Amino acid sequence: MTKVFLLLSPLLLSAGLTLDQLQQKPKGHIRDFQIWQYMQGDINATDADRAYSLVQNKDNKKILKVYTDKTNDVSVKKNYQCLKGDIDFLLNETDADCIEKGLSYVKAMQLSDAQRAHFSEILKEKHPKKSVRLTLMNKRPFFSNLLESGSDHFLKLFNNLGKANRQKYFNIKLSKQQINALADDNRFGRAIKYIVTDPKMDKMQEALLDLNPHELSSQAYFFLALNALKFKAIHKASLYLEISHHKAYYQMDKDRALFWQYLILDDRKYLQELSRSTDINIYSLFAREKFHLKTENYFSHLDLDDVPSSYDLSDPYVWQETLNKIRSTSKEELTELREAFNSKSDEVVNAFIYSKALDYKVHNYIMPFRKATNGLSDDQKALVYALGRQESHFVPSAISRSYALGVMQMMPFLIKSLAEQKKEKVELEEMFDPHKNIRYSISHIRYLQKYLYHPLFIAYAYNGGIGFTKRYLLDGRFMRGSFEPFLSMELMANTESREYGKKVLANYVIYKQIIGDEVSISSLFETLTEPSYTDRFRMDTYAKK
């Protein structure tokens, strides 16, 4: 059949990029990524200026940093200095916009009263709210004066002063009137997350028990439910979960509320409803396992033609154009669009379209690029595929906004480090080769597995870093106790890593099933509170004690 859209020219390696070629590329974060690479080459200031004029996201700090090093434009260099926020530099500045960019509230709390007063004076005309907040920091008692100033100033500072400052200045039990006044502000939902996920905010947590009904999000009500559980307010927790379920847009969030209703009320009607969910997540998997039901609403293989593909999906521009086409295609036309990708080499795109055509009620668990996982144990294969599915849906040329690359979304700094270990010279675009990308990711996963043995913890580290994961585990998490390990899974303040971990864990269970090496999700939950089965960090710490 006729091609649905035209293909763009093949991806150029960074060594071959020219300004003229960059100019001809579609604007967007893919071209920004290539401009970032181009600017790291041996170019002069004029070429750097021309390249930067093509950048779509001029606030991207990666691009701005390398551009600042290349350009002779004094205003650009100053702007970067402003963004860096060096206090000694800012103290010698009189430009209010520059100070506003660089002076975060966290940095401001570390200053002397005189320094804050100095900045407040400069900011008062162009940035009056920030000026007022700096002045409030100088008033004693800080908390009381800030609270009297109104929810606008209070919540702006509460949400932006960081964990240490919240613990130091804000852990005070507010009255019922005070906490409800704050809850009328639409930024209060974010504050709820910070309060509930921080065990040292116990007095603020107690104040949350006095909340009246407010227009809060499903997520905020879920955190309120967990908070109520801490104070053994079971009825209130159940009520909050009911509201969270009602307000939830995503099926996974609805399923989460049902799961917790079952946990706290021990009522199997919630488990029965959960077992009927069309979403595949840790909650629905648990429910179906309890009722001895097989999870079958997924596909892992597609019957495609053994012919060459017309599409070069290692080119990120081709993938971006393909994705735009998929998004703009009506459900009725998706089947026709899918036929354009009927080669075995197009499996990733065909599966992507098919899952959308099925309204995501039958899920995509394909296992492409199998040669890359040759030699791995079945368990390792399940883990690699669980991560890859979550990272990119196995798209070879995927590029994130932070320039994570390829199937396994490898970060440039990590690629460089692994290449040095392997004594290989690697161009970043080589990461669009799915086999090479997966091979590099396996090296990283094996490093993580030296310290972490549980797929959930490996997922945390793959997403948020091993240092982040170590700190979380050593902060008294995943210990035996009421509603564990589930509380520890839900109370991670890092939203991205928290949700990523849960999704990878569900992927892992399904891939184990596909491979024929099935695992019980209940058993996976149970081992989370046993350091000898999960991680070296806690095991070593307890051994020393």
Side-chain angles (χ1 to χ4, degrees), residues 193-239:
K193 184 189 87 164
Y194 289 138
I195 294 168
V196 177
T197 58
D198 186 346
K200 294 185 178 179
M201 295 295 288
D202 55 323
K203 293 178 182 176
M204 283 286 268
Q205 290 169 358
E206 189 176 355
L208 289 178
L209 294 174
D210 290 327
L211 269 183
N212 296 326
H214 287 273
E215 282 301 314
L216 300 170
S217 68
S218 170
Q219 181 78 337
Y221 271 108
F222 178 71
F223 279 126
L224 287 174
L226 298 187
N227 186 66
L229 285 180
K230 177 178 179 177
F231 295 94
K232 296 182 170 49
I234 302 299
H235 177 74
K236 184 168 286 191
S238 179
L239 176 62

Side-chain angles (χ1 to χ4, degrees), residues 17-25 31 38 50 54:
L17 284 172
T18 68
L19 273 173
D20 289 340
Q21 290 164 334
L22 282 170
Q23 203 156 12
Q24 293 168 13
K25 296 293 183 182
R31 184 169 73 170
Y38 172 80
R50 286 181 60 199
L54 302 175

Side-chain angles (χ1 to χ4, degrees), residues 23-59:
Q23 203 156 12
Q24 293 168 13
K25 296 293 183 182
K27 66 180 180 180
H29 79 283
I30 296 172
R31 184 169 73 170
D32 284 1
F33 164 70
Q34 292 187 321
I35 292 170
W36 173 65
Q37 289 181 281
Y38 172 80
M39 285 192 186
Q40 294 176 71
D42 185 16
I43 63 172
N44 59 37
T46 301
D47 289 341
D49 292 339
R50 286 181 60 199
Y52 188 68
S53 70
L54 302 175
V55 172
Q56 181 181 57
N57 180 15
K58 289 184 165 55
D59 292 329

